[in-house]
Structures are given as C-alpha cells and as structure tokens.
C-alpha cells in the first residue's frame, strides 16, 4: 500500500486548503451525504470558490449500501463536469462511492464498469471519515450492490491518497451510531489479528488499534475531544490492519444480521465475535494454519496482552463487559431464521478464519447470539 498523507483538522482547515492547492485542484468532486450540513467542514467547502478559486461539484444521490447505478450516475457527473480531484466526506458508504468513481474515472459509464479494464489515472482522492469505525479511508476495498447482490471491489486505486482526521466531525454523532462504529473498529482489530492472512505488519496495526481504543472508551463515549481524536486514530489503525489481513467469520456472519434485522454493521459484527471468539479458544486444535493450535493460542495471548489482560479468558470477559455496558437493543428472532442466516454467510470472509466452521457450527453460533 502506498503511504497516505494524513491531514489534521483545526486551524480553519488550512491543511486541507494546502492539500488542494498542492494538487492544483480546479474542479473538485465532493461525494457527501446530508450529514455534512451539520459540520463546520461544510462551510469550508462552500467557501472554496471564493477562497481558492476551486469549483465544488457535489454528489449525494446515493444511500447506505450504495447501488451500482448510483455510482455510475456519480461517474457520469464527474466526467461531465471535467473534475480533476475527488473528496469524500462521510461514513463508509460515501467513501465507497468515491472509491469506485476514482477507480472508474477513465471508463465508459455506458458500458459495464465491472468488466472493463482499469487504466491508470492520476486523479487525487481525499477521504474525510465522519465516524470512527469503518476504516474505509485506509483500505483498498469498496462495497456496492447491484440488483440486490453485494459486490466487493478490490483495487489499489481505491486507496485514498490523503485522509483528513478531524475529531470535530464526531461531536454530533447519534449515540447508537457512536457505539456501533466503535464496535466495528474493535472487531476489525480483533479479527485481523487472528485472520489467516495476518502478518507482522498487520498485527502491529491491530495491536496499536486495540490499545488505543480500549484506553479511550470512556472519553469517547462521553463525547470528549481527546476521546474522539483517539477513537478516530484507532479506527484508522484498525483499517490499516484489515487492509492487509481482512476480516474473518465475525464479519462473514454479521451481514445477515444487518440485512435481516436492520442492526448497525458494528453491532452485528460485535455480536458474532462475542460467540465466535470463545468457540475458537475452545477448539484451537482445529486450527489449520501452520503451527496449528500452539500458533493460534499464541495469537490469542497476544490479543489478551494488547487488551491489558493477563489471560485470554480475562480478555473475553473484558470484551463481553464492554458489549453489555453499551446496552444495545437486540433483535427478536426465531428458530426458523437460523437456516436463512446460514445460507447468507459471506464465503470469502469465512475462508479467512483460522478455524473452519461447518454449517452446523455456524447455525449454533447464530442460536447463541439470537435465542
């Protein structure tokens, strides 16, 4: 992954202004949701034409879980307005839309963008996350939907050139969003740690994310500036970890809970991890990685240490205690839901798990989560 330029908020966004000027921006394509209107950052973009002679073309015609058609609509606008730089302000959906537009910048939008070759392009791309959780600003992945089917886009050109971390954007987060996005970052740090693809570099990011996140939970939940800044940084580090190692069965199982019950993604992932982690600890002998059980036991010990715990069981209790403390509403489910949930598990994420999970095991984990 190419090194990203990290910018900071404050000082009337002088760093952002210098970034646009250094990239000789003339026509900026701003991908954003309605939430930008409540941010001081919105005033900065409104003033750009007078402040720096940079025209701003906004695109907001998309929804959470953005569709292929909405991305293609954005691509047509980007090309028609002859924009030369992209900025995304928002959560994972806004950033994912911008990623695809940047990746497809030179494609013909009247043809299938998923089957065309991606020629190189030098369009600069800045991401400004407005939650502390998805880590999308640090990854080369994007998710969009076509005809109801989830499409995972993966390409180096999806990685933003620069990221602005501005804790001020977190002050107006709704309480449920605040809690669930933090849980998403926590699950990213945990799952990337035990992923089949984990290596020295990804584990270093996972470790740093876990330590920073858990040290700042209280300040973040109390909406303090220092806590918001630390959680933003933790989410970014966790994003760096999943960019290298990817997520595992926790996320593979979470998608069904989100689509079926309307749970926020972070809560869904956290519920799955709460049952997946103890199961794996009890079944380390089934580990298929080189080094087998002893390797995975060592990974769990590393996680416990990063969480400030002397044993793996103590780390699991600390995780469960945090989840209980948040008092998030649980969905109403029945036995008949389980088979449908099992069929919807993301196969690719499941392959990253260090212990294979049979359909019977997955169904039992769902039962423990929901019933």
């Amino acid at each position: 992954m190419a090194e990203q330029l990290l910018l900071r908020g404050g000082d009337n966004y002088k760093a952002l202004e210098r970034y646009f000027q250094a990239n000789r921006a003339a026509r900026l394509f701003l991908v954003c949701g309605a939430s930008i209107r409540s941010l001081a950052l919105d005033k900065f973009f409104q003033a750009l034409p007078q402040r720096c002679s940079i025209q701003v073309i906004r695109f907001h015609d998309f929804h959470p879980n953005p569709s292929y058609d909405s991305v293609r609509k954005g691509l047509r606008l980007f090309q028609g307005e002859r924009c030369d730089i992209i900025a995304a302000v928002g959560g994972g959906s806004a950033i994912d839309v911008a990623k695809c537009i940047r990746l497809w910048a030179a494609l013909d939008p009247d043809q299938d963008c998923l089957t065309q070759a991606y020629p190189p392009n030098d369009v600069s791309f800045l991401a400004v996350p407005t939650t502390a959780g998805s880590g999308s600003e640090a990854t080369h992945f994007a998710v969009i939907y076509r005809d109801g089917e989830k499409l995972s886009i993966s390409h180096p050109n999806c990685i933003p050139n620069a990221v602005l971390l501005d804790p001020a954007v977190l002050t107006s987060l709704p309480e449920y969003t605040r809690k669930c996005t933090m849980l998403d970052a926590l699950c990213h740090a945990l799952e990337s740690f035990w992923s089949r693809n984990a290596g020295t570099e990804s584990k270093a990011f996972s470790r740093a994310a876990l330590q920073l996140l858990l040290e700042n939970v209280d300040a973040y939940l109390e909406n303090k500036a220092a806590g918001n800044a630390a959680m933003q940084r933790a989410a970014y580090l966790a994003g760096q970890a999943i960019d290298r190692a990817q997520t595992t069965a926790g996320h593979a199982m979470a998608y069904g809970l989100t689509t079926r019950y309307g749970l926020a993604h972070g809560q869904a992932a956290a519920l799955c991890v709460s049952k997946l982690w103890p199961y794996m600890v009890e079944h380390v002998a089934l580990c298929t990685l080189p080094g087998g059980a002893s390797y995975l036991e060592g990974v769990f010990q590393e996680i416990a240490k990063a969480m400030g715990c002397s044993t793996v069981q103590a780390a699991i209790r600390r995780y469960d205690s945090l989840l209980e403390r948040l008092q998030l509403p649980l969905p109403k489910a029945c036995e008949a839901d389980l088979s449908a949930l099992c069929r919807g598990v993301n196969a690719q994420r499941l392959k990253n798990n260090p212990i294979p999970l049979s359909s019977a095991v997955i169904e039992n984990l769902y039962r423990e989560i929901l019933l």
Side-chain angles (χ1 to χ4, degrees):
M1 170 180 168
E3 186 174 351
Q4 288 179 309
L5 176 64
L6 275 182
L7 306 175
R8 302 291 177 183
D11 192 25
N12 200 23
Y13 297 105
K14 287 288 187 183
L16 197 51
E17 181 178 321
R18 288 193 293 269
Y19 171 77
F20 291 141
Q21 290 175 334
N23 282 274
R24 299 181 180 180
R27 299 181 65 79
L28 182 142
F29 193 74
L30 177 60
V31 181
C32 59
S35 62
I36 194 175
R37 297 170 190 160
S38 64
L39 305 177
L41 187 59
D42 190 42
K43 295 182 176 61
F44 169 83
F45 284 108
Q46 289 179 14
L48 266 183
Q50 294 75 32
R51 185 170 175 169
C52 304
S53 298
I54 298 173
Q55 298 304 309
V56 179
I57 293 85
R58 297 191 180 219
F59 178 68
H60 49 77
D61 192 6
F62 60 91
H63 300 282
N65 302 320
S67 70
Y68 168 82
D69 287 338
S70 64
V71 174
R72 193 163 58 168
K73 186 181 296 184
L75 177 60
R76 287 194 176 98
L77 181 62
F78 171 83
Q79 293 176 342
E81 293 287 348
R82 303 187 307 281
C83 296
D84 51 25
I85 192 167
I86 298 173
V89 178
S93 294
I95 296 175
D96 282 357
V97 168
K99 284 180 173 183
C100 292
I101 292 172
R102 193 276 183 99
L103 178 62
W104 299 344
L107 301 188
D108 180 357
D110 292 326
Q111 303 298 319
D112 190 344
C113 294
L114 298 171
T115 59
Q116 298 178 62
Y118 302 145
N121 72 70
D122 57 358
V123 177
S124 295
F125 174 25
L126 166 87
V128 185
T130 56
T131 63
S134 77
S136 182
E137 69 277 6
T139 74
H140 66 283
F141 309 117
V143 174
I144 58 173
Y145 290 77
R146 182 160 68 173
D147 299 326
E149 179 185 356
K150 178 186 172 187
L151 304 173
S152 294
I153 312 296
S154 175
H155 195 278
N157 277 353
C158 286
I159 302 173
N161 304 101
V163 175
L164 175 74
L165 295 181
D166 178 21
V169 303
L170 303 184
T171 58
S172 59
L173 282 179
E175 183 180 8
Y176 181 66
T177 303
R178 175 173 292 275
K179 292 175 178 179
C180 292
T181 49
M182 176 188 70
L183 290 175
D184 195 18
L186 176 57
C187 291
H188 287 164
L190 289 169
E191 291 187 62
S192 57
F193 218 130
W194 64 55
S195 169
R196 298 184 65 87
N197 307 311
T200 302
E201 188 178 31
S202 68
K203 286 180 181 178
F205 283 118
S206 299
R207 186 179 297 109
L210 280 174
Q211 292 170 342
L212 190 60
L213 187 153
L214 292 172
E215 287 169 1
N216 291 276
V217 167
D218 291 340
Y220 171 72
L221 292 177
E222 292 166 8
N223 202 5
K224 294 181 178 178
N228 287 339
M231 198 59 64
Q232 237 184 9
R233 178 68 180 175
Y236 177 73
L237 292 168
Q240 295 271 20
I242 61 170
D243 184 63
R244 291 156 174 80
Q246 302 180 46
T247 52
T248 65
H251 271 64
M253 295 174 61
Y255 300 120
L257 298 184
T258 296
T259 56
R260 193 171 189 87
Y261 304 112
L263 297 183
H265 173 67
Q267 182 186 7
L271 288 172
C272 294
V273 167
S274 72
K275 303 305 178 184
L276 171 67
W277 188 3
Y279 172 84
M280 292 199 299
V281 169
E282 294 170 7
H283 295 84
V284 289
L286 301 178
C287 177
T288 56
L289 292 171
S294 60
Y295 167 78
L296 191 55
E297 286 172 345
V299 169
F300 290 145
Q301 288 290 349
E302 287 184 78
I303 291 173
K305 185 177 180 181
M307 293 178 65
C309 300
S310 58
T311 67
V312 174
Q313 291 301 331
I316 293 174
R317 286 195 297 272
R318 183 173 187 187
Y319 176 91
D320 288 339
S321 176
L322 174 59
L323 197 54
E324 184 177 351
R325 170 188 171 186
L326 298 179
Q327 297 183 322
L328 299 173
L330 295 174
K332 293 181 179 180
C334 62
E335 188 77 23
D337 294 344
L338 301 182
S339 59
L341 287 168
C342 290
R343 290 194 299 271
V345 171
N346 183 281
Q348 181 56 50
R349 295 289 176 262
L350 202 60
K351 289 178 182 178
N352 298 334
N353 215 61
I355 291 176
L357 303 179
S358 67
S359 296
V361 168
I362 292 171
E363 182 173 331
N364 192 56
L365 291 175
Y366 275 132
R367 183 175 288 107
E368 292 181 20
I369 293 165
L370 296 169
L371 303 180

